[in-house]
Amino acid sequence: MSAGRPRRRLHLPAWTATLYWKFAVFVIVMCCVLATVVGVLVHVLVGRQTERQARSVALSELDSVADAYVAGEPLGRNAAVDPADLPAPLRTVALRGERGTQLAEHKGRPVMWAVTPADGKALAVHIDYTQRDAVIRGLDRAIIGSSSFAIVLTLAVGLFGVSRITRRLHHTAQVARRISTGDLDARVDDPHVRCPPYAQDETAAVAAALDAMAAALQTKLHREQRFTADVAHELRTPLTGLHVAAELLPPGRPAEMVQDRIRTMSRLTEDLLEISRLDAEVEQAETEVRQLGPLAERAVLATGLQAEVRIERDTRVETDQRRLQRVLGNLVSNAHRHGRPPVLLTVDGLVITVRDHGDGYPGHLLDHGPQRFRSRSASGRKTGHGLGLTIAAGQARVLGATLRFSNAPDGGAVAELVLSPPVPGPRRAPSSGPGGP
């Protein structure tokens, strides 16, 4: 038994998913349904009433003609016996000995026929229905015109009202996106929230909740940043004392272990201080034009670790040498600490790639980026504090660069640093000191 073909789903344009478009369609459909129901009802009621009046007039005329027929008087121009264009159903009714009426045509014009039996024949009378039919047609045109005007007016007023709501929702969404990118000073400031006498609708409630969330998040983040900076500053003094005391210990394995732990604590404290400065956004890059390839090579040499440097396409960049070397050094160190050799650094124009051949980055880092004090391998094993990549990402933002993390298809973690192109105009000349090209 062969499987059936999968059904193709109809993909509508993106703009059809907006509240503005849905409201417009809803208003048009509901107005059309309402106008159709009211129009049909009015048409039927007026048509029935008009036909009832015409039948009454035709039967009254038929009685007068019947009396004239019995008296042998002239019947008049609208009466005849067995007229040729009498509708067959009325002729049958008259032959059965009954009276009847029917709306039909006479010489191409609408008329109301009325018949009665007369000596085995059909005595018929017709009255003109043209004026009544014209009235009904004019009523239909009035109903269509007024309904169209009502639909357009209702749609315009409705769209004006919903546009105000959608503009407020779009503004709230823009503020939410700014907050998600780190702009915690962004606020909606909806007028309905700032003015208590105004009644607050659901949009104002969402805006107020978003502003309250942003304020609470900003307060919490500032407290964490202040706590991190205070802890790092407070640790500096005792660490300095421990370092001096460790120098006084007699040489031996215990003294080496103590000094190694003190150096580790000192590096951790300096990393925390650097992160606190990056969080406070007080760091500014001091840029100058340099050749990118030699900068990458010196960054690898400064780490003291083995890494292959490939310069596929060298270029000149306007960057901060110290910060760029800090980023590349942290990426290479992270590749050695959490991955497996060989570690490869590739320079291809403004793109620098650092790759190892380990288990790759864990899922939470790929989804949310590096986070301090959360560093685990792809297998879930705790591997460090997560400060190296956090500092690398922060320094990349100061440089105006983009740092992306991914995993290679054949295994291994890949960090890609994309630098900004040089700004056209006057450039600062390269320095000729030890860090010069």
Side-chain angles (χ1 to χ4, degrees):
M1 183 177 180
S2 60
R5 294 181 179 179
R7 296 182 178 179
R8 294 182 178 180
R9 298 184 62 184
L10 180 62
H11 294 283
L12 298 176
W15 58 267
T16 60
T18 61
L19 181 63
Y20 195 83
W21 183 84
K22 291 180 180 178
F23 180 82
V25 172
F26 175 78
V27 169
I28 292 175
V29 171
M30 292 305 299
C31 288
C32 289
V33 171
L34 183 61
T36 301
V37 172
V38 173
V40 170
L41 183 61
V42 172
H43 175 84
V44 171
L45 291 178
V46 174
R48 287 180 178 178
Q49 184 179 5
T50 304
E51 289 185 15
R52 191 180 302 113
Q53 293 174 353
R55 285 191 176 94
S56 178
V57 173
L59 290 174
S60 298
E61 183 72 17
L62 181 63
D63 291 338
S64 300
V65 171
D67 293 340
Y69 178 79
V70 172
E73 298 176 357
L75 301 180
R77 62 177 186 176
N78 292 336
V81 177
D82 286 338
D85 54 351
L86 180 67
L90 284 182
R91 192 183 302 276
T92 303
V93 169
L95 294 178
R96 289 203 309 262
E98 301 176 356
R99 296 184 0 149
T101 59
Q102 182 179 349
L103 182 62
E105 288 188 357
H106 174 67
K107 296 181 180 181
R109 301 178 64 182
V111 295
M112 179 63 74
W113 287 96
V115 297
T116 187
D119 299 332
K121 299 179 181 180
L123 178 60
V125 175
H126 65 272
I127 63 172
D128 187 46
Y129 199 78
T130 303
Q131 186 176 0
R132 292 180 175 87
D133 186 65
V135 171
I136 294 177
R137 293 180 183 275
L139 178 63
D140 292 341
R141 288 193 295 270
I143 292 174
I144 294 175
S146 60
S147 299
S148 301
F149 176 76
I151 291 174
V152 173
L153 180 62
T154 304
L155 182 62
V157 174
L159 290 180
F160 174 75
V162 79
S163 64
R164 299 183 62 186
I165 298 177
T166 54
R167 282 198 301 267
R168 292 166 62 192
L169 290 176
H170 282 309
H171 178 61
T172 303
Q174 291 175 358
V175 173
R177 284 191 288 268
R178 288 172 56 190
I179 294 174
S180 66
T181 56
D183 185 7
L184 298 182
D185 292 325
R187 297 292 185 273
V188 179
D189 288 334
D190 195 296
H192 292 76
V193 178
R194 290 180 292 168
C195 300
Y198 290 169
Q200 293 189 9
D201 55 7
E202 288 79 2
T203 306
V206 173
L210 180 63
D211 287 347
M213 181 198 70
L217 182 62
Q218 187 179 37
T219 302
K220 183 179 179 181
L221 184 59
H222 286 171
R223 288 176 180 175
E224 291 182 354
Q225 293 174 357
R226 178 62 61 85
F227 175 77
T228 302
D230 291 345
V231 168
H233 278 290
E234 293 298 329
L235 285 176
R236 267 185 161 182
T237 301
L239 283 175
T240 302
L242 286 175
H243 181 72
V244 174
E247 295 293 336
L248 301 177
L249 293 176
R253 181 58 180 168
E256 294 177 358
M257 293 178 62
V258 171
Q259 292 173 358
D260 180 66
R261 293 297 91 191
I262 292 175
R263 284 192 294 270
T264 302
M265 286 290 296
S266 298
R267 285 195 300 268
L268 179 59
T269 302
E270 295 299 327
D271 288 346
L272 291 176
L273 286 172
E274 186 173 358
I275 288 177
S276 66
R277 291 193 299 270
L278 292 172
D279 289 340
E281 298 182 354
V282 297
E283 296 284 310
Q284 294 183 354
E286 298 179 359
T287 61
E288 53 186 354
V289 179
R290 290 187 175 276
Q291 202 72 19
L292 185 57
L295 284 181
E297 293 175 346
R298 284 195 293 271
V300 173
L301 290 176
T303 62
L305 301 172
Q306 293 293 329
E308 180 183 356
V309 179
R310 294 180 183 176
I311 303 178
E312 297 183 354
R313 185 163 54 93
D314 200 359
T315 185
R316 296 174 68 83
V317 294
E318 187 175 0
T319 186
D320 189 322
Q321 174 186 353
R322 181 183 64 84
R323 298 182 190 279
L324 179 60
Q325 291 183 349
R326 176 68 160 156
V327 174
L328 298 181
N330 282 13
L331 294 178
V332 173
S333 299
N334 183 82
H336 275 278
R337 184 178 298 111
H338 306 303
R340 286 191 295 269
V343 176
L344 176 63
L345 187 148
T346 305
V347 176
D348 186 5
L350 295 174
V351 180
I352 304 176
T353 304
V354 178
R355 179 190 173 179
D356 61 50
H357 291 76
D359 297 329
Y361 291 119
H364 72 83
L365 189 145
L366 298 178
D367 295 335
H368 307 289
Q371 301 176 27
R372 67 198 67 176
F373 300 109
R374 184 180 181 184
S375 178
R376 295 182 180 275
S377 64
S379 61
R381 181 174 57 88
K382 182 71 175 179
T383 55
H385 303 292
L387 300 182
L389 293 183
T390 303
I391 293 174
Q395 294 291 4
R397 285 194 299 270
V398 175
L399 292 174
T402 303
L403 183 57
R404 295 191 290 259
F405 301 96
S406 61
N407 290 329
D410 55 346
V414 179
E416 187 179 65
L417 180 67
V418 182
L419 299 175
S420 301
V423 180
R427 294 180 178 178
R428 183 177 173 184
S431 61
S432 57

